[in-house]
């Protein structure tokens, strides 16, 4: 069994790195961690990111179009911190989940096409990782409706310089929430590692989008679902 490390902050990190170039940095690998083929036109989620020592950020991911080979996604995850008030509209391959084209601009405008980078997603793997993981079912009330959830709690210890590094991650998923994580043919979470010795209690399905994701390891961060719906439309227009 693998350990899923959801890369919720990739777009924000890329935005910060590109701020000096006065335009966002969009990687062709930006959506590898999401099961984009399962998205339905109009689905959207709004998420809030809290990080130690940083101001909270809210961003939205929206499915705004489906074609034979690509899905169109509009988001401000990449722009919320360094380019507020703007959005990214990109086409993503249904099979390979790679970004094909990306446009940037303010809602209501025609987007400016961006050159894609080949930035690789951070590798969370470590051969020396060891720890435990437990899967439990639960329920949560969101927007006045009760939802069945899957909770995955992972505690890992990795050899550091002079002392072990301990991390804890708690992921809560619900099947009704859009933008689920991608899995491979064996049912393992795409954003995961197979290295290390992790003792699992239960088997995760990884079905559904994120309700909450908490990470502790030196610093603490929490990604929380704010809202979701099925009425999204593109606000940025292709030239």
């Amino acid at each position: 069994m693998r350990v899923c490390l959801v890369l919720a902050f990739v777009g924000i990190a890329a935005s910060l790195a590109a701020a000096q170039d006065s335009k966002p940095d969009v990687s062709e690998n930006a959506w590898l961690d999401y099961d984009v083929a399962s998205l339905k036109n109009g689905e959207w989620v709004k998420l809030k990111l809290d990080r130690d020592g940083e101001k909270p950020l809210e961003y939205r991911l929206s499915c705004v179009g489906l074609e034979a080979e690509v899905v169109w996604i509009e988001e401000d995850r990449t722009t919320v911190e360094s380019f507020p008030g703007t959005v990214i509209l990109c086409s993503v391959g249904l099979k390979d989940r790679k970004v094909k084209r990306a446009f940037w601009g303010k809602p209501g405008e025609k987007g400016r096409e961006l050159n894609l980078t080949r930035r690789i997603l951070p590798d969370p793997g470590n051969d020396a990782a060891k720890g435990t993981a437990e899967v439990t079912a639960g329920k949560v009330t969101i927007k006045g409706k009760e939802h069945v959830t899957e909770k995955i709690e992972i505690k890992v210890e990795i050899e550091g310089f002079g002392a072990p590094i301990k991390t804890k991650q708690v992921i809560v998923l619900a099947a009704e929430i859009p933008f689920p994580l991608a899995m491979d043919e064996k049912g393992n979470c795409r954003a995961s590692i197979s290295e290390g010795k992790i003792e699992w209690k239960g088997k995760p399905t990884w079905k559904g989008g994120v309700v909450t994701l908490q990470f502790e390891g030196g610093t603490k961060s929490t990604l929380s679902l704010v809202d979701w719906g099925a009425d999204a439309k593109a606000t940025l227009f292709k030239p």
Side-chain angles (χ1 to χ4, degrees):
M1 185 62 65
R2 296 180 176 186
V3 179
C4 176
L5 295 178
V6 183
L7 303 175
F9 321 121
V10 172
I12 293 171
S15 172
L16 291 172
Q20 294 180 350
D21 297 328
S22 72
K23 60 182 179 181
D25 183 353
V26 177
S27 169
E28 65 178 15
N29 299 310
W31 292 96
L32 286 183
D33 293 327
Y34 290 87
D35 180 12
V36 297
S38 72
L39 292 173
K40 296 179 177 63
N41 192 25
E43 289 186 327
W44 59 271
V45 292
K46 186 176 183 180
L47 299 162
K48 179 182 179 183
L49 175 62
D50 292 288
R51 300 168 292 175
D52 281 351
E54 303 285 346
K55 67 177 182 180
L57 297 175
E58 288 191 359
Y59 61 84
R60 178 166 155 152
L61 314 175
S62 303
C63 174
V64 295
L66 291 172
E67 297 179 5
E69 297 182 354
V70 299
V71 58
W72 285 91
I73 296 174
E74 186 175 281
E75 51 92 357
D76 61 353
R77 175 185 66 170
T78 306
T79 59
V80 64
E81 193 155 31
S82 296
F83 305 93
T86 65
V87 297
I88 299 288
L89 175 65
C90 60
S91 61
V92 184
L94 292 172
K95 292 183 178 180
D96 62 7
R97 304 191 300 279
K98 289 190 177 245
V99 178
K100 309 304 179 183
R101 301 181 73 184
F103 302 88
W104 169 56
K106 295 180 179 180
E109 296 182 346
K110 287 185 177 181
R112 167 187 174 186
E113 187 157 12
L114 300 172
N115 293 323
L116 302 175
T117 72
R118 292 187 175 180
R119 182 186 300 273
I120 303 298
L121 298 178
D123 180 7
N126 188 298
D127 291 338
K130 59 182 180 180
T132 61
E134 183 176 3
V135 183
T136 55
K139 294 181 180 180
V140 64
T141 299
I142 312 172
K143 297 171 64 172
K145 181 180 177 182
E146 190 175 77
H147 297 267
V148 175
T149 60
E150 177 174 88
K151 178 181 176 182
I152 304 150
E153 184 170 344
I154 306 165
K155 297 179 181 179
V156 174
E157 185 175 291
I158 302 172
E159 291 299 325
F161 293 99
I165 300 172
K166 295 182 179 181
T167 66
K168 177 182 177 181
Q169 187 174 36
V170 181
I171 309 165
V172 178
L173 306 173
E176 295 87 354
I177 308 303
F179 286 85
L181 304 178
M183 296 184 292
D184 63 20
E185 64 280 359
K186 296 181 180 180
N188 295 317
C189 182
R190 208 300 309 179
S192 62
I193 59 174
S194 56
E195 298 91 340
K197 297 179 181 180
I198 310 298
E199 296 182 6
W200 281 82
K201 183 178 180 180
K203 183 177 181 180
T205 66
W206 304 114
K207 291 182 179 179
V210 172
V211 177
T212 58
L213 187 159
Q214 297 176 319
F215 178 83
E216 297 179 20
T219 60
K220 183 178 180 179
S221 58
T222 303
L223 186 69
S224 305
L225 177 70
V226 176
D227 201 359
W228 84 96
D231 58 351
K233 296 184 182 299
T235 64
L236 188 69
F237 301 99
K238 292 173 283 187

